[in-house]
Amino acid sequence: EPEVTQTPSHQVTQMGQEVILRCVPISNHLYFYWYRQILGQKVEFLVSFYNNEISEKSEIFDDQFSVERPDGSNFTLKIRSTKLEDSAMYFCASTETGRDQPQHFGDGTRLSIL
Amino acid sequence: GIQVEQSPPDLILQEGANSTLRCNFSDSVNNLQWFHQNPWGQLINLFYIPSGTKQNGRLSATTVATERYSLLYISSSQTTDSGVYFCAGAFYNQGGKLIFGQGTELSVKP
């Protein structure tokens, strides 16, 4: 069964550094999402992406965050200047045709900011 | 805003027992999913169930969309069922994003 793959599985970064989290969605999927889960809390929506542009973003997704689909397969989340509170698990998800389809999640990237 | 509420927040079971987890939501859904988060943090998709009933082995789920709730049944629980169970919904007029509940933390004792 096709999978969403995320790399790296764990990233440790000094505060203030830039970090890029990478995702390869399922190949025929058109809608892409990033979610965040702070340790011990629920999963929160960050941003959705369709047709090479952001379709929706949450209040969490401020100017420090950006997303990109640099080629036909990768979908990246960049945090420009990391803060301690950015420490969390970040999940990428994709769906084939949008809101009436199940979202398929990657295994997540655990980001630790020191 | 839209609310997704899960109950109970915590549940401790003896191996072999059955359980029911509940998810209430405050608006009409066009997508409802149940996930199991394992000890490594992975979100394992259990069911895509915007309405009706589905079964997969010892697990089954029912969503009554008109009454805005979903139930996850676990029968003959095993220690490997331990972890956090999340429900998440995508709602009309809310784009396609999933809104997650706070989760039910299940612990199955041998």
Side-chain angles (χ1 to χ4, degrees):
Chain A
E1 184 177 322
E3 293 182 340
V4 175
T5 57
Q6 290 186 242
T7 55
S9 56
H10 191 187
Q11 173 86 43
V12 181
T13 301
Q14 291 288 330
M15 186 172 59
Q17 295 296 306
E18 176 183 284
V19 65
I20 298 175
L21 310 183
R22 302 181 190 279
C23 170
V24 179
I26 296 173
S27 62
N28 63 333
H29 285 192
L30 301 177
Y31 293 78
F32 314 117
Y33 306 85
W34 282 102
Y35 293 86
R36 181 183 83 174
Q37 184 184 30
I38 294 171
L39 185 64
Q41 298 186 20
K42 68 177 179 179
V43 179
E44 301 173 288
F45 167 76
L46 288 177
V47 65
S48 57
F49 192 87
Y50 169 70
N51 200 25
N52 281 320
E53 61 182 27
I54 291 173
S55 46
E56 187 179 0
K57 59 184 180 180
S58 72
E59 292 177 351
I60 303 167
F61 195 88
D62 62 22
D63 292 344
Q64 292 298 313
F65 291 88
S66 63
V67 289
E68 194 177 35
R69 189 156 163 81
D71 52 42
S73 58
N74 289 283
F75 179 51
T76 62
L77 174 69
K78 182 193 290 187
I79 309 175
R80 260 180 276 282
S81 178
T82 50
K83 303 187 274 274
L84 293 175
E85 54 264 37
D86 294 327
S87 295
M89 182 77 104
Y90 289 81
F91 292 101
C92 173
S94 70
T95 186
E96 188 173 353
T97 58
R99 71 188 70 185
D100 296 336
Q101 296 289 317
Q103 291 189 20
H104 298 257
F105 279 70
D107 287 344
T109 293
R110 188 174 300 279
L111 178 62
S112 301
I113 307 301
L114 304 180
Chain B
I2 289 179
Q3 302 292 320
V4 178
E5 296 179 350
Q6 293 186 241
S7 60
D10 305 283
L11 186 58
I12 300 174
L13 298 176
Q14 283 299 125
E15 202 167 24
N18 302 328
S19 62
T20 301
L21 281 56
R22 187 176 180 102
C23 175
N24 292 333
F25 38 92
S26 60
D27 208 338
S28 301
V29 291
N30 49 31
N31 175 3
L32 195 290
Q33 293 181 244
W34 282 96
F35 297 90
H36 175 214
Q37 188 164 41
N38 64 21
W40 297 272
Q42 297 167 327
L43 284 173
I44 309 301
N45 184 62
L46 299 176
F47 293 101
Y48 166 70
I49 187 162
S51 64
T53 297
K54 290 185 178 178
Q55 180 149 11
N56 184 3
R58 296 182 296 103
L59 303 182
S60 64
T62 295
T63 296
V64 184
T66 53
E67 297 187 21
R68 299 182 181 173
Y69 72 88
S70 185
L71 302 174
L72 178 69
Y73 305 96
I74 305 173
S75 64
S76 304
S77 58
Q78 300 175 359
T79 56
T80 52
D81 295 331
S82 297
V84 183
Y85 289 80
F86 290 102
C87 71
F91 298 86
Y92 289 106
N93 300 319
Q94 293 293 318
K97 66 177 181 286
L98 287 177
I99 299 174
F100 280 74
Q102 293 280 7
T104 292
E105 184 161 9
L106 174 64
S107 179
V108 181
K109 305 294 187 186

